[in-house]
Amino acid sequence: MNGGVIKYERDNIDTDVIIPGPYLKIHDYNELAKHAMEGLDKDFHSKVKEGDFIVAGRNFGCGSSREHAPIALAYSGIKAVLALSFARIFYRNAVDGAFLLPIEIDENTYNNISDKDSLEIDTEKNEIKNLTKNQTYKMKPFSDLIGKIIAAGGLFNYKP
Amino acid sequence: MPKTLFEKIWDSHVVVEQKNGPTLLYVDRHLIHEVTSPQAFDGLRMNKRNVRRPDLTFATMDHNVPTSDRSLPIIDQISAKQIQVLEKNCKEFDIQLFDINSPNQGIVHVISPELGITLPGTTIVCGDSHTSTHGAFGALAFGIGTSDVEHVLATQCIWMEKPKTFEIKIEGKRKNNRAVTAKDIILSIIRQIGTSGGRGTVIEYSGETISELTMEQRMTICNMSIEGGARAGLIAPDEKTFAYLKGRKYTPKNYDELVDFWFENLKSDPGAHFDKTFTLNVGTIAPQVSWGTNPAMTTDVTSIVPFPDEYAKGNQDEEKAAIRALQYMDLKPGMQITDISIDRVFIGSCTNSRLEDLIEVSNIVKGKKVSSKVRAMIVPGSQLVKKQAEELGLDKIFKEANFEWRESGCSMCLGMNPDILAAGERCASTSNRNFEGRQGAGGRTHLVSPVMAAAAALAGHFVDVRELDLN
């Protein structure tokens, strides 16, 4: 996976700012995507490109169980969110619906990655290459269950 | 080996367990609502799957229903459609639905206990994060997303990684337990453990204070477990739990036998190991008011809006977050919490909309008037709560005090129905989340208990309810 970085230097980015409540009535995912991150960054929709990554702080995706949150990001083009930690329901939603990869990174990696950097992510080697800065970081490997659901392409294709 | 309550419920629901791998867990009760279920039903149809146990699946509409006159049509066509889709899905798959005209309609986490669908020792899931509420009855209950809703509809099972365990002991005696409520206890806990303090865990609340709390109060505490990042909250069932559920609509016929079994089995063994522990002494806690944009950004009503550097104690990320929060909330550090004026009051939500909450509110507002600067609404959690409140004459007390008395639903907790804040409006709210824009774009939320919200409605600003005569 190759893409640019949209970085938000904050913790507790909640699902209400990722996709505000009024839009939960929208069933068309492309329409939903137009409102992704609207509660935090009104320019997100105009700047996001297919294949981009979001980089953020702790407890990303806290709050509501709305699967609309990873869906809105995925249909905006986001392939992975790299965060210091994730709220559990968002994490499972992202993986179970095969919408995007929730990747846990450490403080050092978080501090080294800047907005607009280009990254290459290799989930087999658990490696993140920063092409802009010519650095390589380790990502936290997925657990057994999560790795298998991702490999299967979502919960419904997963067989133990 | 001694086991925790969580481990006992978990172990008794394992369908498939793999060494070092995930567990397939059986689901006893699946609650669904109009917002997180439509795509799940579409998925079933697309793959020609059926609902495995419609008899264990219960539906209602709560998130986007208007709380105004139910005899009028729903103006928002997209909401109306979402509600019709749920009706169609429940009919097609033979699922019990408490629709908008049902006397049992209400917020999913209010109606399930009051109908006796929630039972001790069961596993309960729902496409809603506040499913943790049902843990008050000793049920292992957690929120899931729509993909998992589809999986549970199709299989009645869910793939899980075993959560860790977290014991929170609540000890001590409150000096004034009408003024310092369950809401103040859970806000105090979140304030101390943080919004991700419970991440990856199931919290078991224990201690002398917990056994003194009513079921309604226990629900308020378990409800907000998710705001501390936990998967679920749990309280061991006791005489109060068994008395609450007796004779409810869906309580099983062999209830007394079940009570004997629950009483024997549903508690953590002495010496059981918890991965994490925390103790709160309630002896000194004050009524709480949130000042920021997450539930951990909370302080005592007698305190001031914090200075970001003092609040952050050297953590730069926390300091930046506090500065941003104060900017959004339009508050100045150092100002007294009791000097914060409010425009709106919302008493409702799955956290605080049950009969007991409304009785406490009525004691404060009886014979008084809402401040002329404030618009205040009371939204009962269910139609049953509404009926019971009206039988006690609470509706008259509320209306005479100039509160709006509404039909049940999630209402202004989450800004996806007509009840929303306008940009810049400041609200004292008994709900669970003070996130930016949660109650409406640009709206400012202060989380408080029902009595604190009621007193703020009368005064037009926050007041310390310990100074009022509550008896």
Side-chain angles (χ1 to χ4, degrees):
Chain A
M1 291 193 300
N2 268 293
V5 169
I6 299 177
K7 186 171 180 181
Y8 298 105
E9 281 185 49
R10 56 196 277 178
D11 299 337
N12 297 311
I13 293 179
D14 60 74
T15 52
D16 275 270
V17 298
I18 297 172
I19 185 76
Y23 305 121
L24 301 186
K25 298 169 199 167
I26 299 173
H27 288 205
D28 177 342
Y29 292 167
N30 291 310
E31 193 58 33
L32 201 62
K34 290 182 188 165
H35 303 284
M37 301 303 281
E38 196 174 292
L40 178 63
D41 178 4
K42 291 258 187 293
D43 301 327
F44 179 81
H45 182 65
S46 57
K47 72 184 176 198
V48 64
K49 293 185 300 295
E50 181 64 29
D52 276 355
F53 307 116
I54 285 177
V55 175
R58 288 173 199 82
N59 205 26
F60 187 92
C62 60
S64 146
S65 70
R66 58 189 72 167
E67 201 155 295
H68 309 68
I71 292 170
L73 296 179
Y75 278 74
S76 299
I78 296 293
K79 290 285 176 259
V81 177
L82 286 64
L84 290 171
S85 66
F86 290 89
R88 200 61 203 166
I89 306 180
F90 178 89
Y91 189 86
R92 278 299 297 264
N93 284 347
V95 169
D96 288 353
F99 297 117
L100 54 84
L101 297 182
I103 295 175
E104 283 188 17
I105 52 173
D106 61 24
E107 292 267 353
N108 197 32
T109 306
Y110 174 70
N111 291 331
N112 275 315
I113 300 176
S114 309
D115 195 42
K116 299 193 177 73
D117 281 358
S118 287
L119 304 182
E120 185 180 293
I121 298 178
D122 184 338
T123 52
E124 298 211 337
K125 290 191 201 154
N126 293 314
E127 251 178 34
I128 302 163
K129 273 193 189 144
N130 189 331
L131 305 174
T132 310
K133 294 184 175 139
N134 200 20
Q135 295 170 336
T136 303
Y137 325 110
K138 281 278 169 203
M139 59 175 260
K140 190 178 167 195
F142 296 116
S143 72
D144 189 47
L145 171 65
I146 298 302
K148 283 179 182 164
I149 295 176
I150 290 170
L155 185 64
F156 283 90
N157 301 319
Y158 166 68
K159 291 184 184 67
Chain B
M1 214 175 90
K3 281 184 179 181
T4 64
L5 172 57
F6 158 72
E7 286 159 339
K8 291 181 189 183
I9 302 174
W10 176 274
D11 289 351
S12 66
H13 287 81
V14 170
V15 179
V16 175
E17 196 167 37
Q18 299 159 292
K19 212 173 180 190
N20 302 321
T23 301
L24 189 68
L25 209 63
Y26 194 74
V27 173
D28 294 316
R29 300 285 184 272
H30 187 194
L31 312 174
I32 59 174
H33 63 84
E34 76 280 17
V35 176
T36 55
S37 69
Q39 290 92 339
F41 283 106
D42 288 348
L44 287 184
R45 273 190 212 97
M46 212 157 64
N47 296 295
K48 300 199 165 44
R49 292 188 173 108
N50 220 328
V51 174
R52 170 94 182 149
R53 292 295 300 267
D55 57 324
L56 301 180
T57 312
F58 298 87
T60 194
M61 33 195 66
D62 54 4
H63 280 61
N64 68 21
V65 298
T67 59
S68 47
D69 188 347
R70 289 270 146 95
S71 64
L72 300 171
I74 295 171
I75 296 164
D76 177 350
Q77 286 309 300
I78 309 174
S79 290
K81 177 85 193 301
Q82 218 168 29
I83 287 165
Q84 284 160 11
V85 167
L86 181 65
E87 285 169 351
K88 179 174 159 277
N89 286 334
C90 289
K91 202 167 170 193
E92 183 179 334
F93 291 97
D94 197 23
I95 291 166
Q96 174 69 57
L97 167 70
F98 305 107
D99 69 18
I100 197 157
N101 297 313
S102 164
N104 293 122
Q105 181 270 346
I107 305 174
V108 63
H109 310 308
V110 176
I111 67 167
S112 177
E114 75 185 10
L115 292 171
I117 295 168
T118 301
L119 293 175
T122 57
T123 49
I124 302 175
V125 298
C126 173
D128 188 279
S129 58
H130 292 108
T131 308
S132 58
T133 311
H134 309 271
F137 294 83
L140 178 58
F142 43 86
I144 56 177
T146 302
S147 294
D148 282 306
V149 169
E150 185 181 340
H151 193 273
V152 176
L153 285 172
T155 65
Q156 203 60 27
C157 293
I158 186 165
W159 283 108
M160 291 278 290
E161 288 169 305
K162 194 173 184 175
K164 304 264 187 222
T165 52
F166 187 3
E167 183 181 37
I168 295 188
K169 283 187 199 159
I170 307 178
E171 309 275 6
K173 290 246 182 285
R174 288 167 287 166
K175 288 192 184 72
N176 182 342
N177 61 16
R178 305 290 290 277
V180 180
T181 68
K183 183 67 161 283
D184 303 300
I185 294 175
I186 188 63
L187 282 171
S188 297
I189 291 170
I190 296 164
R191 181 181 160 184
Q192 293 187 48
I193 67 169
T195 51
S196 57
R199 203 163 52 85
T201 74
V202 169
I203 298 173
E204 181 177 341
Y205 300 97
S206 63
E208 56 174 326
T209 314
I210 283 290
S211 28
E212 284 166 13
L213 298 181
T214 64
M215 292 315 297
E216 279 87 345
Q217 294 162 346
R218 293 179 193 181
M219 282 189 258
T220 299
I221 291 191
C222 286
N223 172 276
M224 289 191 70
S225 302
I226 181 78
E227 311 314 331
R231 286 300 265 140
L234 261 182
I235 292 172
D238 61 10
E239 294 303 334
K240 285 181 186 169
T241 323
F242 307 140
Y244 179 99
L245 290 170
K246 196 173 170 70
R248 305 256 169 190
K249 188 176 166 105
Y250 289 94
T251 303
K253 289 209 174 62
N254 60 338
Y255 187 68
D256 292 337
E257 280 166 47
L258 288 172
V259 166
D260 292 341
F261 176 80
W262 292 332
F263 184 75
E264 274 308 304
N265 293 284
L266 292 180
K267 50 194 158 199
S268 290
D269 297 328
H273 169 78
F274 288 89
D275 298 302
K276 209 171 166 182
T277 56
F278 174 81
T279 303
L280 177 82
N281 192 308
V282 296
T284 53
I285 67 173
Q288 301 291 298
V289 180
S290 76
W291 51 267
T293 51
N294 72 54
M297 292 176 165
T298 291
T299 192
D300 298 351
V301 65
T302 47
S303 187
I304 54 166
V305 173
F307 289 88
D309 55 339
E310 284 173 18
Y311 166 76
K313 297 190 183 82
N315 180 326
Q316 286 192 349
D317 293 340
E318 290 277 330
E319 186 174 340
K320 274 192 276 182
I323 292 169
R324 244 188 336 252
L326 291 182
Q327 203 170 10
Y328 181 85
M329 294 297 289
D330 191 27
L331 293 172
K332 296 263 178 299
M335 77 184 284
Q336 288 291 327
I337 294 291
T338 48
D339 286 340
I340 300 173
S341 299
I342 53 162
D343 309 301
R344 303 284 297 268
V345 167
F346 170 57
I347 296 172
S349 88
C350 58
T351 314
N352 283 122
S353 63
R354 297 177 180 84
L355 187 62
E356 190 182 299
D357 297 319
L358 303 188
I359 291 172
E360 291 297 311
V361 168
S362 73
N363 286 335
I364 300 237
V365 308
K366 189 171 186 175
K368 307 215 170 64
K369 295 279 183 208
V370 169
S371 161
S372 58
K373 300 177 299 178
V374 174
R375 180 180 166 197
M377 54 167 72
I378 300 178
V379 185
S382 70
Q383 291 304 86
L384 186 63
V385 169
K386 181 167 189 260
K387 180 168 165 264
Q388 290 168 334
E390 289 177 354
E391 281 166 4
L392 295 174
L394 303 188
D395 56 324
K396 289 191 190 70
I397 296 173
F398 297 148
K399 284 188 249 181
E400 274 164 24
N402 291 338
F403 281 90
E404 295 173 32
W405 174 242
R406 320 268 305 184
E407 304 294 324
S408 62
C410 298
S411 185
M412 209 158 67
C413 176
L414 84 167
M416 71 169 297
N417 55 67
D419 304 341
I420 53 168
L421 293 181
E425 276 188 323
R426 186 181 298 284
C427 181
S429 179
T430 67
S431 56
N432 39 57
R433 291 191 176 130
N434 50 346
F435 298 157
E436 288 183 26
R438 168 87 176 173
Q439 294 190 293
R444 300 179 176 123
T445 306
H446 293 275
L447 302 176
V448 287
S449 72
V451 284
M452 281 290 290
L458 304 180
H461 56 84
F462 293 111
V463 292
D464 185 349
V465 286
R466 290 174 300 184
E467 290 168 3
L468 308 178
D469 176 14
L470 297 177
N471 301 305

